[in-house]
Amino acid sequence: MRSLNGGRGPGFGRIPLPACIRRANAEIMLIPLIEDAEGVRAIDEILAPGGVDLVLPGPGGLSRSYGVPWEVRHPRVQQAVRDLRSACARHGVPFCAMATTPERRAEWRADGVTAFVLGEDRDLAAPELRAHREAGSPTGHHQ
């Protein structure tokens, strides 16, 4: 079930809504977001039946699950992400790497990864908004 609206999905009115629904149903992807140690341990069981289109790791959630909140570069978290990548390779399922720098993307590409999360909208927008705010005030501060 999905909401029905005439926004971006149906091209702001250019695609008839019934056609948009048919296309959306045909393009549905199953993408598990693995954010805890239990999911890492169960990844082979998750992937074995088939039908998963892509696996996305959640390093922030994994860090909490492994007892090192927000230490996404912690060896235990990094090993969990590599374990997910290995399971994807075993099962022939694409893996989506969280890679916010060109260097990290190059490392993942060398491992055959072709799908990437480059950052979140809030992380990408926040520095620009701060710079804009500071440029608009002679002191850089607003009341």
Side-chain angles (χ1 to χ4, degrees):
M1 298 298 294
R2 61 174 40 85
S3 65
L4 298 177
N5 67 49
R8 184 178 54 85
F12 299 99
R14 290 181 306 205
I15 302 169
L17 288 175
C20 181
I21 292 169
R22 283 191 300 276
R23 185 183 75 205
N25 285 336
E27 295 176 357
I28 288 175
M29 295 179 74
L30 178 59
I31 304 173
L33 171 61
I34 308 297
E35 294 188 294
D36 62 25
E38 182 181 0
V40 175
R41 284 190 304 272
I43 192 63
D44 284 306
E45 183 180 341
I46 292 167
L47 298 178
V52 172
D53 295 295
L54 181 82
V55 170
L56 180 64
L62 287 169
S63 70
R64 179 203 39 80
S65 181
Y66 286 112
V68 290
W70 289 118
E71 293 182 43
V72 296
R73 298 273 185 241
H74 189 280
R76 188 134 187 217
V77 175
Q78 291 297 297
Q79 184 60 54
V81 171
R82 285 191 301 275
D83 290 347
L84 293 172
R85 167 62 180 129
S86 296
C88 287
R90 283 192 304 277
H91 292 273
V93 174
F95 176 80
C96 183
M98 299 276 188
T100 58
T101 67
E103 296 79 18
R104 291 293 290 152
R105 285 189 295 281
E107 291 171 17
W108 283 114
R109 275 192 188 101
D111 190 34
V113 173
T114 59
F116 301 96
V117 171
L118 304 177
E120 294 182 20
D121 54 357
R122 65 179 182 221
D123 296 331
L124 297 169
E128 296 302 320
L129 290 171
R130 279 192 293 275
H132 180 72
R133 181 188 66 211
E134 291 168 6
S137 168
T139 64
H141 301 286
H142 291 276
Q143 299 294 329

